[in-house]
Amino acid sequence: MKKSYFLLVCACALLTGCKHTSSSLEIRLNQVGFRPLQEKTATIDVYTADAAPCSVAILSETGDTVWTGMASATMINPLSGKPRQLVDFSTLTTPGRYTLHLAPYTLHRDAVASFTISPRPYRELTRQALRAFYYQRTAMPIIEPYAEGFARPAGHPDTLVLVHASAATAERPENTIISSSGGWYDAGDYNKYIVNSGYTMGVFLMSYEQQRAYYDTLHLNIPESTLPVPDMLAEAMYNIRWMMTMQDTDGGAYHKLTEPDFEGFIHPTECQKPRYVVLKTTPATLDLAATLALAARIYAPYEHVYPGFVDEATEAAKHAYEWAKANPAIYYDQPAMNEQFTPAITTGAYDDFQAQDEFYWAATELYLLTHDPLYRDEALSHCPDTFIPAVWGNVSELASLEWMLHPAGIEAFAAQRQADLLAHLQPYIDEAETSSVHRSPYGNRAEDFFWGCNSEGCCWRGIECLYAYHLTGNELYLTNAERCLNHVLGQNATGYCFVTGFGTHSPKQPHHRLSNIYPNGPLPGFLIGGPNRERQDDGIDGVTYPENVSADESYLDFRPSYATNEVTINWNVTLFALTAGLDALYQ
Ligand code: CA
């Protein structure tokens, strides 16, 4: 660094309080792209709480200054205590690639953040977030041209699966061999779980229903792309077919298909452990019923592609619901199960000890499929009193959203559910408007940062905002959906764009066995879990967090960090549902 240059830098810093270093992460913004007319902001790291507002300029690729302005007064991030400023450059609307500079910008080409403005910034992100499910397929080789650089042999055929003692019946005694082939690996591990698949399929197919025209033209480059069915529905069918194999002859659904304990970080073809289907549970069975009822409705126009599917799925859904009515409180308690049966099972529990929400969702989907008023009455009787955002273990909001979208006959009930949704969102939207250092309705409270929060907190809140926008027409909800996406794509306390393969600074070491097998990894298009104030993996396998790290910075791009850096199907579904929901509006 030349001396004169250095002195100028220091002088500016002293005068303005703006911090200049070579790291582009001093400026945090959406690293994937903005559409021309959306709100655009960046968060700037400053030295001190009394820092004067930074002077900001935006330069085009040819070096022309196309926008200048001032950042906000300094705000304090309530979680870390760090001073930040916001700059709002929404008035820049011309598509192009730009760099954002802090003064004296003509000398500081390194104190910058780059970004793009384009009419369709999320099209490729949506495509890859959906292709992530293709990469997760079990039991078939991932081959070119579909692999797009990430080919691998088939893993886990699951044609010889053992019935665990916990799931034995007279018809299928312990160690009976069944085939339960296909479907997606659930997450960073190699197992398959019905409760998580059910929630994932719910969000997946409801997103399709909301944006049929959009998804009908979205080409994923998968082996089924030649079929006369939207690629997205073909991809979903790969998992639905597997889910159907998880139904026992009595109607109940096995909770999961699993090895007894997790495989190491090895290639899927190297796995040797036996695979079991374990205990049939009420939540799993109701999630299966809801998924198949929803699928029977969504796939009805494609009977010519999947002959017999609608009838088969309808009957399976009804059968599952009947089983759950007869067995309304069988829950997956892994420690208790292991005291009673062998071998012990220690993989993901997905334990859920409340099935009222699954009854509500399954009955809702069965009503929307069959129009049998008995299912409607069952659904209304199971609607919870309080609003709870949807997660794999609590799916009541999926049912409520269905009633908001299909209110015929129960308009007052549906209107109350909508009022509950809007009331839930309002405090977060108020925070985005008034106090958020990231101009976001998510990420302003310590409790926002939990295991999987990038999906279950941030992206899902964005999806709720999108539903609110569609239901009310109020553009403030659309703005806040985009703000949630900005947060997960880089305008956050870590400066990471939390989708593999996207942005200028994204995770490179996800806790993902499949990604680990590629020298050119990680696999692209995966949303990773994100900062997690509970840090359950601290001290395990070399995971170490900085002392006194804040909730919003409790993140490690480190392969063993399962509590902050894993991937899962239920997280990726919210990513693409949000990006697709926005991209569909930009057409
Ligand atoms: Ca539940």
Side-chain angles (χ1 to χ4, degrees):
M1 183 182 286
K2 291 178 181 176
K3 188 175 181 183
S4 58
Y5 177 85
F6 177 73
L7 288 174
L8 192 52
V9 172
C10 293
C12 170
L14 289 170
L15 286 170
T16 68
C18 293
K19 186 177 181 181
H20 300 302
T21 76
S22 60
S23 169
S24 63
L25 300 185
E26 304 303 325
I27 304 165
R28 298 174 176 87
L29 48 61
N30 175 337
Q31 297 168 23
V32 173
F34 301 97
R35 70 180 168 98
L37 296 180
Q38 82 173 91
E39 178 185 78
K40 307 173 196 73
T41 63
T43 301
I44 301 169
D45 185 358
V46 293
Y47 272 137
T48 60
D50 59 354
C54 289
S55 177
V56 178
I58 295 174
L59 276 59
S60 69
E61 281 190 297
T62 55
D64 298 324
T65 302
V66 297
W67 187 94
T68 59
M70 300 298 290
S72 70
T74 298
M75 301 183 287
I76 302 299
N77 180 332
L79 306 182
S80 64
K82 294 180 178 176
R84 298 285 186 260
Q85 294 179 1
L86 264 174
V87 58
D88 186 333
F89 52 99
S90 304
T91 51
L92 178 64
T93 59
T94 308
R97 294 184 59 82
Y98 301 97
T99 47
L100 189 152
H101 302 247
L102 305 182
Y105 49 86
T106 52
L107 296 178
H108 279 272
R109 294 305 299 259
D110 54 350
V112 305
S114 59
F115 66 94
T116 62
I117 298 175
S118 70
R120 302 289 297 277
Y122 308 134
R123 180 81 171 182
E124 180 59 18
L125 176 57
T126 303
R127 194 182 85 91
Q128 287 292 5
L130 262 162
R131 282 179 46 79
F133 293 84
Y134 169 64
Y135 289 132
Q136 288 291 98
R137 287 191 193 186
T138 66
M140 67 179 293
I142 305 300
I143 58 172
E144 299 295 354
Y146 318 112
E148 299 187 3
F150 295 96
R152 64 171 171 83
H156 296 91
D158 285 336
T159 51
L160 301 171
V161 176
L162 299 165
V163 174
H164 189 252
S166 61
T169 62
E171 195 169 337
R172 291 183 176 179
E174 180 182 359
N175 290 330
T176 298
I177 294 173
I178 66 169
S179 177
S180 186
S181 192
W184 303 313
Y185 293 118
D186 180 69
D189 65 331
Y190 289 137
N191 301 303
K192 305 187 286 192
Y193 307 81
I194 283 292
V195 283
N196 205 37
S197 267
Y199 163 85
T200 301
M201 298 318 305
V203 179
F204 205 113
L205 296 179
M206 287 174 68
S207 179
Y208 176 78
E209 189 179 23
Q210 278 287 96
Q211 276 93 216
R212 282 180 193 266
Y214 172 82
Y215 284 122
D216 286 352
T217 62
L218 187 66
H219 183 64
L220 297 182
N221 188 30
I222 57 176
E224 297 81 3
S225 289
T226 56
L227 294 176
V229 61
D231 282 3
M232 178 193 187
L233 292 187
E235 187 56 54
M237 183 60 84
Y238 193 75
N239 201 58
I240 293 169
R241 291 286 197 200
W242 164 69
M243 290 181 73
M244 294 176 85
T245 71
M246 289 288 281
Q247 186 172 36
D248 195 358
T249 53
D250 62 2
Y254 303 113
H255 195 71
K256 59 179 175 175
L257 190 163
T258 182
E259 62 249 4
D261 56 324
F262 286 121
E263 297 278 6
F265 268 72
I266 59 178
H267 196 288
T269 57
E270 298 170 344
C271 296
Q272 299 291 330
K273 295 183 179 181
R275 306 266 280 180
Y276 292 90
V277 289
V278 300
L279 189 68
K280 290 172 286 189
T281 65
T282 309
T285 301
L286 288 167
D287 281 334
L288 181 73
T291 297
L292 295 183
L294 172 57
R297 183 159 55 89
I298 295 294
Y299 287 81
Y302 299 100
E303 182 71 13
H304 57 295
V305 184
Y306 305 112
F309 172 76
V310 171
D311 286 347
E312 190 183 351
T314 300
E315 289 311 306
K318 290 178 177 176
H319 198 195
Y321 195 83
E322 289 167 14
W323 186 94
K325 289 278 284 181
N327 301 274
I330 299 180
Y331 302 113
Y332 191 74
D333 183 340
Q334 196 154 272
M337 187 181 77
N338 287 339
E339 287 180 10
Q340 196 174 352
F341 303 106
T342 57
I345 305 292
T346 59
T347 52
Y350 284 107
D351 47 351
D352 173 8
F353 297 92
Q354 169 58 262
Q356 181 184 353
D357 53 295
E358 283 85 8
F359 271 110
Y360 177 37
W361 183 37
T364 296
E365 295 296 354
L366 278 161
Y367 172 73
L368 294 177
L369 173 67
T370 66
H371 301 292
D372 182 338
L374 290 175
Y375 287 123
R376 182 186 60 206
D377 295 345
E378 287 260 331
L380 301 193
S381 74
H382 287 290
C383 177
D385 296 330
T386 54
F387 179 93
I388 300 172
V391 291
W392 61 263
N394 194 315
V395 290
S396 58
E397 191 184 7
L398 299 185
S400 290
L401 287 168
E402 290 284 35
W403 291 114
M404 291 179 225
L405 299 168
H406 305 280
I410 54 164
E411 284 79 1
F413 175 84
Q416 184 57 53
R417 304 284 77 73
Q418 180 174 325
D420 291 346
L421 171 66
L422 301 185
H424 157 71
L425 290 174
Q426 196 58 48
Y428 303 119
I429 291 174
D430 290 345
E431 285 175 7
E433 293 289 318
T434 61
S435 62
S436 171
V437 298
H438 300 118
R439 186 65 66 78
S440 171
Y442 165 83
N444 306 305
R445 309 176 183 195
E447 62 263 32
D448 279 344
F449 296 96
F450 54 89
W451 199 330
C453 63
N454 274 340
S455 169
E456 296 176 6
C458 190
C459 287
W460 183 253
R461 192 162 299 160
I463 291 169
E464 289 177 329
C465 288
L466 266 183
Y467 275 109
Y469 170 65
H470 285 294
L471 291 163
T472 67
N474 184 341
E475 295 225 350
L476 182 61
Y477 294 117
L478 172 59
T479 297
N480 278 280
E482 290 173 328
R483 287 169 173 173
C484 287
L485 189 58
N486 291 341
H487 192 280
V488 85
L489 296 182
Q491 194 174 1
N492 58 62
T494 68
Y496 273 92
C497 170
F498 282 119
V499 183
T500 55
F502 283 83
T504 51
H505 184 58
S506 61
K508 299 293 191 292
Q509 296 291 327
H511 185 83
H512 186 202
R513 285 164 177 76
L514 286 179
S515 279
N516 194 52
I517 69 177
Y518 299 100
N520 56 334
L523 287 163
F526 283 83
L527 177 70
I528 63 91
N532 173 1
R533 73 187 190 284
E534 297 178 29
R535 304 185 288 273
Q536 291 90 341
D537 51 7
D538 198 2
I540 300 173
D541 290 340
V543 173
T544 306
Y545 294 87
E547 198 170 341
N548 299 320
V549 66
S550 59
D552 56 352
E553 295 182 21
S554 295
Y555 168 72
L556 296 171
D557 182 19
F558 184 47
R559 198 184 74 192
S561 181
Y562 59 83
T564 74
N565 214 29
E566 195 173 356
V567 304
T568 78
I569 57 172
N570 62 308
W571 299 344
N572 248 65
V573 77
T574 64
L575 173 66
F576 85 69
L578 178 56
T579 60
L582 291 171
D583 195 37
L585 291 171
Y586 305 159
Q587 291 186 90

PDB file of all heavy atoms in Angstrom, residues 438-452:
ATOM      1  N   HIS A 438     -30.601  -5.067   9.418  1.00  0.00           N
ATOM      2  CA  HIS A 438     -30.579  -5.731   8.118  1.00  0.00           C
ATOM      3  C   HIS A 438     -31.860  -5.496   7.328  1.00  0.00           C
ATOM      4  O   HIS A 438     -32.082  -6.151   6.315  1.00  0.00           O
ATOM      5  CB  HIS A 438     -30.344  -7.245   8.296  1.00  0.00           C
ATOM      6  CG  HIS A 438     -29.051  -7.559   8.982  1.00  0.00           C
ATOM      7  ND1 HIS A 438     -28.975  -8.213  10.193  1.00  0.00           N
ATOM      8  CD2 HIS A 438     -27.770  -7.265   8.639  1.00  0.00           C
ATOM      9  CE1 HIS A 438     -27.698  -8.320  10.557  1.00  0.00           C
ATOM     10  NE2 HIS A 438     -26.963  -7.752   9.641  1.00  0.00           N
ATOM     11  N   ARG A 439     -32.682  -4.560   7.779  1.00  0.00           N
ATOM     12  CA  ARG A 439     -33.970  -4.254   7.143  1.00  0.00           C
ATOM     13  C   ARG A 439     -34.727  -5.554   6.847  1.00  0.00           C
ATOM     14  O   ARG A 439     -35.168  -5.813   5.735  1.00  0.00           O
ATOM     15  CB  ARG A 439     -33.750  -3.439   5.859  1.00  0.00           C
ATOM     16  CG  ARG A 439     -35.018  -2.934   5.184  1.00  0.00           C
ATOM     17  CD  ARG A 439     -35.789  -1.918   6.006  1.00  0.00           C
ATOM     18  NE  ARG A 439     -35.098  -0.662   6.200  1.00  0.00           N
ATOM     19  CZ  ARG A 439     -34.999   0.321   5.284  1.00  0.00           C
ATOM     20  NH1 ARG A 439     -35.547   0.183   4.101  1.00  0.00           N
ATOM     21  NH2 ARG A 439     -34.372   1.440   5.573  1.00  0.00           N
ATOM     22  N   SER A 440     -34.867  -6.363   7.883  1.00  0.00           N
ATOM     23  CA  SER A 440     -35.478  -7.682   7.684  1.00  0.00           C
ATOM     24  C   SER A 440     -36.494  -7.973   8.784  1.00  0.00           C
ATOM     25  O   SER A 440     -36.279  -7.609   9.943  1.00  0.00           O
ATOM     26  CB  SER A 440     -34.391  -8.764   7.712  1.00  0.00           C
ATOM     27  OG  SER A 440     -34.962 -10.042   7.739  1.00  0.00           O
ATOM     28  N   PRO A 441     -37.587  -8.664   8.441  1.00  0.00           N
ATOM     29  CA  PRO A 441     -38.536  -9.089   9.475  1.00  0.00           C
ATOM     30  C   PRO A 441     -38.076 -10.346  10.209  1.00  0.00           C
ATOM     31  O   PRO A 441     -38.814 -10.901  11.013  1.00  0.00           O
ATOM     32  CB  PRO A 441     -39.809  -9.382   8.674  1.00  0.00           C
ATOM     33  CG  PRO A 441     -39.305  -9.840   7.356  1.00  0.00           C
ATOM     34  CD  PRO A 441     -38.037  -9.053   7.092  1.00  0.00           C
ATOM     35  N   TYR A 442     -36.883 -10.781   9.920  1.00  0.00           N
ATOM     36  CA  TYR A 442     -36.300 -11.962  10.561  1.00  0.00           C
ATOM     37  C   TYR A 442     -34.878 -11.607  10.981  1.00  0.00           C
ATOM     38  O   TYR A 442     -34.180 -10.862  10.298  1.00  0.00           O
ATOM     39  CB  TYR A 442     -36.270 -13.157   9.589  1.00  0.00           C
ATOM     40  CG  TYR A 442     -35.376 -14.251  10.090  1.00  0.00           C
ATOM     41  CD1 TYR A 442     -35.834 -15.177  11.010  1.00  0.00           C
ATOM     42  CD2 TYR A 442     -34.037 -14.304   9.699  1.00  0.00           C
ATOM     43  CE1 TYR A 442     -34.991 -16.151  11.517  1.00  0.00           C
ATOM     44  CE2 TYR A 442     -33.200 -15.271  10.201  1.00  0.00           C
ATOM     45  CZ  TYR A 442     -33.676 -16.181  11.115  1.00  0.00           C
ATOM     46  OH  TYR A 442     -32.836 -17.130  11.628  1.00  0.00           O
ATOM     47  N   GLY A 443     -34.441 -12.174  12.107  1.00  0.00           N
ATOM     48  CA  GLY A 443     -33.038 -12.047  12.489  1.00  0.00           C
ATOM     49  C   GLY A 443     -32.753 -10.936  13.477  1.00  0.00           C
ATOM     50  O   GLY A 443     -31.589 -10.602  13.711  1.00  0.00           O
ATOM     51  N   ASN A 444     -33.797 -10.368  14.070  1.00  0.00           N
ATOM     52  CA  ASN A 444     -33.610  -9.262  15.009  1.00  0.00           C
ATOM     53  C   ASN A 444     -33.691  -9.693  16.468  1.00  0.00           C
ATOM     54  O   ASN A 444     -33.540  -8.871  17.360  1.00  0.00           O
ATOM     55  CB  ASN A 444     -34.666  -8.186  14.727  1.00  0.00           C
ATOM     56  CG  ASN A 444     -34.652  -7.761  13.267  1.00  0.00           C
ATOM     57  OD1 ASN A 444     -33.616  -7.367  12.748  1.00  0.00           O
ATOM     58  ND2 ASN A 444     -35.792  -7.885  12.604  1.00  0.00           N
ATOM     59  N   ARG A 445     -33.980 -10.972  16.682  1.00  0.00           N
ATOM     60  CA  ARG A 445     -34.148 -11.485  18.042  1.00  0.00           C
ATOM     61  C   ARG A 445     -33.271 -12.729  18.205  1.00  0.00           C
ATOM     62  O   ARG A 445     -33.140 -13.528  17.272  1.00  0.00           O
ATOM     63  CB  ARG A 445     -35.607 -11.879  18.290  1.00  0.00           C
ATOM     64  CG  ARG A 445     -36.610 -10.801  17.928  1.00  0.00           C
ATOM     65  CD  ARG A 445     -38.012 -11.314  18.112  1.00  0.00           C
ATOM     66  NE  ARG A 445     -39.001 -10.316  17.704  1.00  0.00           N
ATOM     67  CZ  ARG A 445     -40.292 -10.371  18.007  1.00  0.00           C
ATOM     68  NH1 ARG A 445     -40.745 -11.393  18.721  1.00  0.00           N
ATOM     69  NH2 ARG A 445     -41.122  -9.435  17.608  1.00  0.00           N
ATOM     70  N   ALA A 446     -32.759 -12.942  19.389  1.00  0.00           N
ATOM     71  CA  ALA A 446     -31.907 -14.115  19.621  1.00  0.00           C
ATOM     72  C   ALA A 446     -32.660 -15.411  19.314  1.00  0.00           C
ATOM     73  O   ALA A 446     -32.082 -16.370  18.782  1.00  0.00           O
ATOM     74  CB  ALA A 446     -31.403 -14.119  21.057  1.00  0.00           C
ATOM     75  N   GLU A 447     -33.961 -15.445  19.638  1.00  0.00           N
ATOM     76  CA  GLU A 447     -34.714 -16.683  19.423  1.00  0.00           C
ATOM     77  C   GLU A 447     -34.912 -17.007  17.945  1.00  0.00           C
ATOM     78  O   GLU A 447     -35.383 -18.088  17.609  1.00  0.00           O
ATOM     79  CB  GLU A 447     -36.065 -16.636  20.141  1.00  0.00           C
ATOM     80  CG  GLU A 447     -37.003 -15.549  19.670  1.00  0.00           C
ATOM     81  CD  GLU A 447     -36.946 -14.316  20.562  1.00  0.00           C
ATOM     82  OE1 GLU A 447     -35.855 -14.029  21.106  1.00  0.00           O
ATOM     83  OE2 GLU A 447     -37.980 -13.645  20.706  1.00  0.00           O
ATOM     84  N   ASP A 448     -34.556 -16.073  17.059  1.00  0.00           N
ATOM     85  CA  ASP A 448     -34.627 -16.372  15.627  1.00  0.00           C
ATOM     86  C   ASP A 448     -33.547 -17.358  15.191  1.00  0.00           C
ATOM     87  O   ASP A 448     -33.620 -17.894  14.084  1.00  0.00           O
ATOM     88  CB  ASP A 448     -34.448 -15.085  14.810  1.00  0.00           C
ATOM     89  CG  ASP A 448     -35.736 -14.280  14.701  1.00  0.00           C
ATOM     90  OD1 ASP A 448     -36.806 -14.840  14.983  1.00  0.00           O
ATOM     91  OD2 ASP A 448     -35.655 -13.099  14.331  1.00  0.00           O
ATOM     92  N   PHE A 449     -32.524 -17.572  16.036  1.00  0.00           N
ATOM     93  CA  PHE A 449     -31.377 -18.374  15.604  1.00  0.00           C
ATOM     94  C   PHE A 449     -31.353 -19.716  16.321  1.00  0.00           C
ATOM     95  O   PHE A 449     -30.877 -19.840  17.445  1.00  0.00           O
ATOM     96  CB  PHE A 449     -30.095 -17.570  15.806  1.00  0.00           C
ATOM     97  CG  PHE A 449     -30.079 -16.341  14.939  1.00  0.00           C
ATOM     98  CD1 PHE A 449     -30.489 -15.113  15.449  1.00  0.00           C
ATOM     99  CD2 PHE A 449     -29.732 -16.432  13.604  1.00  0.00           C
ATOM    100  CE1 PHE A 449     -30.537 -13.993  14.632  1.00  0.00           C
ATOM    101  CE2 PHE A 449     -29.779 -15.317  12.780  1.00  0.00           C
ATOM    102  CZ  PHE A 449     -30.182 -14.094  13.299  1.00  0.00           C
ATOM    103  N   PHE A 450     -31.920 -20.709  15.640  1.00  0.00           N
ATOM    104  CA  PHE A 450     -32.039 -22.061  16.179  1.00  0.00           C
ATOM    105  C   PHE A 450     -31.668 -23.032  15.066  1.00  0.00           C
ATOM    106  O   PHE A 450     -31.407 -22.625  13.916  1.00  0.00           O
ATOM    107  CB  PHE A 450     -33.466 -22.307  16.683  1.00  0.00           C
ATOM    108  CG  PHE A 450     -34.529 -22.038  15.647  1.00  0.00           C
ATOM    109  CD1 PHE A 450     -34.955 -23.034  14.783  1.00  0.00           C
ATOM    110  CD2 PHE A 450     -35.098 -20.767  15.515  1.00  0.00           C
ATOM    111  CE1 PHE A 450     -35.915 -22.792  13.816  1.00  0.00           C
ATOM    112  CE2 PHE A 450     -36.066 -20.516  14.537  1.00  0.00           C
ATOM    113  CZ  PHE A 450     -36.474 -21.526  13.698  1.00  0.00           C
ATOM    114  N   TRP A 451     -31.645 -24.299  15.384  1.00  0.00           N
ATOM    115  CA  TRP A 451     -31.247 -25.343  14.432  1.00  0.00           C
ATOM    116  C   TRP A 451     -32.160 -25.295  13.189  1.00  0.00           C
ATOM    117  O   TRP A 451     -33.364 -25.489  13.311  1.00  0.00           O
ATOM    118  CB  TRP A 451     -31.377 -26.701  15.105  1.00  0.00           C
ATOM    119  CG  TRP A 451     -30.615 -27.804  14.454  1.00  0.00           C
ATOM    120  CD1 TRP A 451     -30.302 -27.945  13.153  1.00  0.00           C
ATOM    121  CD2 TRP A 451     -30.072 -28.948  15.125  1.00  0.00           C
ATOM    122  NE1 TRP A 451     -29.597 -29.107  12.947  1.00  0.00           N
ATOM    123  CE2 TRP A 451     -29.448 -29.739  14.140  1.00  0.00           C
ATOM    124  CE3 TRP A 451     -30.071 -29.383  16.450  1.00  0.00           C
ATOM    125  CZ2 TRP A 451     -28.826 -30.947  14.438  1.00  0.00           C
ATOM    126  CZ3 TRP A 451     -29.450 -30.584  16.744  1.00  0.00           C
ATOM    127  CH2 TRP A 451     -28.834 -31.351  15.751  1.00  0.00           C
ATOM    128  N   GLY A 452     -31.571 -25.016  12.056  1.00  0.00           N
ATOM    129  CA  GLY A 452     -32.366 -24.964  10.825  1.00  0.00           C
ATOM    130  C   GLY A 452     -33.090 -23.656  10.609  1.00  0.00           C
ATOM    131  O   GLY A 452     -33.997 -23.579   9.777  1.00  0.00           O
TER     132      GLY A 452
END
